[in-house]
Amino acid sequence: FSISIVKKEEKAKTKSVDKTEIFFDSNGKLANCEKRDPSICEIFIVEGDSAGGSAKTARDRSFQAILPIRGKILNVEKASIDKVLANAEIKTMINAFGCGFSEGYGNDFDIKKLRYDKIIIMADAMWTEAYFYAASDLILPLYAELIYEGHVYIAMPPLYKAMPQEEKKEYLYDDKALERYRKTHKGAFTLQRYKGLGEMDAQQLWETTLNPETRLLKLREIEDARMASDITEILMGTEVPPRKAFIYEHAQDAELDV
């Protein structure tokens, strides 16, 4: 995968975009951190205002910034470049990151001006992968180099909390972890299933998803993002036959929460 090729392709598509016509506004949603050293700062892109409010309460405000964005992201596969750059979520991210965006889109990208060493996508455990597809497809065209340089992560909140009567509680991050837990713990235990980040109180959100000493993060690599972009193009693009073929092929892989 070549960053330069993507830049040239997008520059050819969007050379008419004038960066002086683009205005960036944070819409007051960004809860910034107190420190200004990018090497220790991180920003969480959080799905929805409700979860964003919980994250703002739970975070360590000295080095953690929170940026809530709405759950349904702009369909960049169908939108024109001027509509993409007019989107509130995209404008807010560009303003928050502070490093411009890829020159193929009409502006000057300078990774040295990036305000956060880690950009962390945080969504509900049950929707994490699907949300990453959408969020990666949004970030990839504008910020391929951020992924390439290892700045983009996905948070892994737990799906369950197991609470045995006489043992320490344990957070379980997927169904396989729950399966293993059932096999190794013979005694009775209470099981709580998290359907959303909003179900956690500030302390739980801190210890499971925000605390650098206890959380799980997945580093996203450029091939992951390209795969996400390809899947999003199939599912959200204008061509119907590829979308139908994909759904038929992967229907048995779907995990339904009913």
Side-chain angles (χ1 to χ4, degrees):
F1 177 78
S2 172
I3 300 296
S4 61
I5 291 176
V6 170
K7 283 187 174 182
K8 289 177 181 178
E9 289 176 348
E10 298 301 340
K11 191 170 186 177
K13 294 178 185 178
T14 64
K15 60 183 179 181
S16 62
V17 175
D18 182 354
K19 63 183 179 183
T20 61
E21 297 176 356
I22 303 169
F23 175 72
F24 303 116
D25 182 13
S26 65
N27 294 323
K29 288 189 173 184
L30 174 66
N32 210 350
C33 53
E34 296 168 354
K35 296 185 184 297
R36 293 295 179 263
D37 180 357
S39 67
I40 61 175
C41 294
E42 50 192 39
I43 183 170
F44 288 82
I45 312 268
V46 185
E47 177 194 8
D49 290 332
S50 176
S54 299
K56 289 176 184 178
T57 302
R59 68 178 173 141
D60 183 334
R61 65 178 60 223
S62 67
F63 69 97
Q64 292 178 325
I66 305 294
L67 179 60
I69 61 175
R70 61 185 180 186
K72 186 177 180 181
I73 298 174
L74 174 72
N75 184 350
V76 295
E77 294 298 333
K78 295 181 180 180
S80 61
I81 184 59
D82 56 336
K83 188 172 182 180
V84 169
L85 294 177
N87 178 263
E89 273 67 37
I90 296 177
K91 289 196 297 183
T92 300
M93 286 201 322
I94 291 173
N95 186 53
F97 296 169
C99 57
F101 56 102
S102 297
E103 64 177 292
Y105 278 83
N107 206 335
D108 298 322
F109 174 83
D110 186 353
I111 199 169
K112 293 179 181 178
K113 295 181 180 179
L114 180 64
R115 294 172 181 160
Y116 310 95
D117 182 65
K118 289 183 176 66
I119 297 169
I120 304 170
I121 300 169
M122 187 167 75
D124 297 341
M126 60 185 294
W127 296 113
T128 292
E129 201 65 26
Y131 190 71
F132 169 68
Y133 285 153
S136 291
D137 197 54
L138 184 154
I139 290 175
L140 179 61
L142 299 176
Y143 292 112
E145 287 189 34
L146 295 185
I147 299 175
Y148 184 79
E149 295 294 335
H151 290 286
V152 180
Y153 297 78
I154 182 167
M156 304 299 295
L159 192 55
Y160 303 101
K161 181 171 74 169
M163 296 170 284
Q165 292 180 349
E166 300 190 13
E167 296 179 49
K168 189 178 179 181
K169 68 183 179 183
E170 187 171 335
Y171 292 102
L172 309 172
Y173 288 81
D174 53 35
D175 289 322
K176 290 183 179 179
L178 175 59
E179 218 174 287
R180 290 192 298 269
Y181 188 88
R182 291 186 189 279
K183 291 179 180 178
T184 57
H185 292 75
K186 302 303 181 182
F189 64 90
T190 302
L191 186 68
Q192 180 178 357
R193 188 179 192 276
Y194 295 114
K195 290 190 175 182
L197 295 170
E199 293 185 7
M200 297 184 190
D201 59 34
Q203 180 60 33
Q204 291 172 333
L205 192 58
W206 165 254
E207 64 187 26
T208 62
T209 315
L210 295 172
N211 186 351
E213 296 184 3
T214 56
R215 70 190 182 190
L216 291 179
L217 295 181
K218 282 189 176 181
L219 175 67
R220 305 323 296 185
E221 299 182 8
I222 202 69
E223 287 306 316
D224 297 327
R226 288 302 302 173
M227 180 182 69
S229 180
D230 291 342
I231 292 175
T232 305
E233 182 177 1
I234 292 172
L235 295 178
M236 300 179 69
T238 56
E239 297 294 325
V240 175
R243 180 160 55 251
K244 285 186 176 180
F246 182 90
I247 292 172
Y248 284 132
E249 181 180 352
H250 296 278
Q252 298 299 322
D253 300 331
E255 297 182 5
L256 302 179
D257 183 52
V258 294

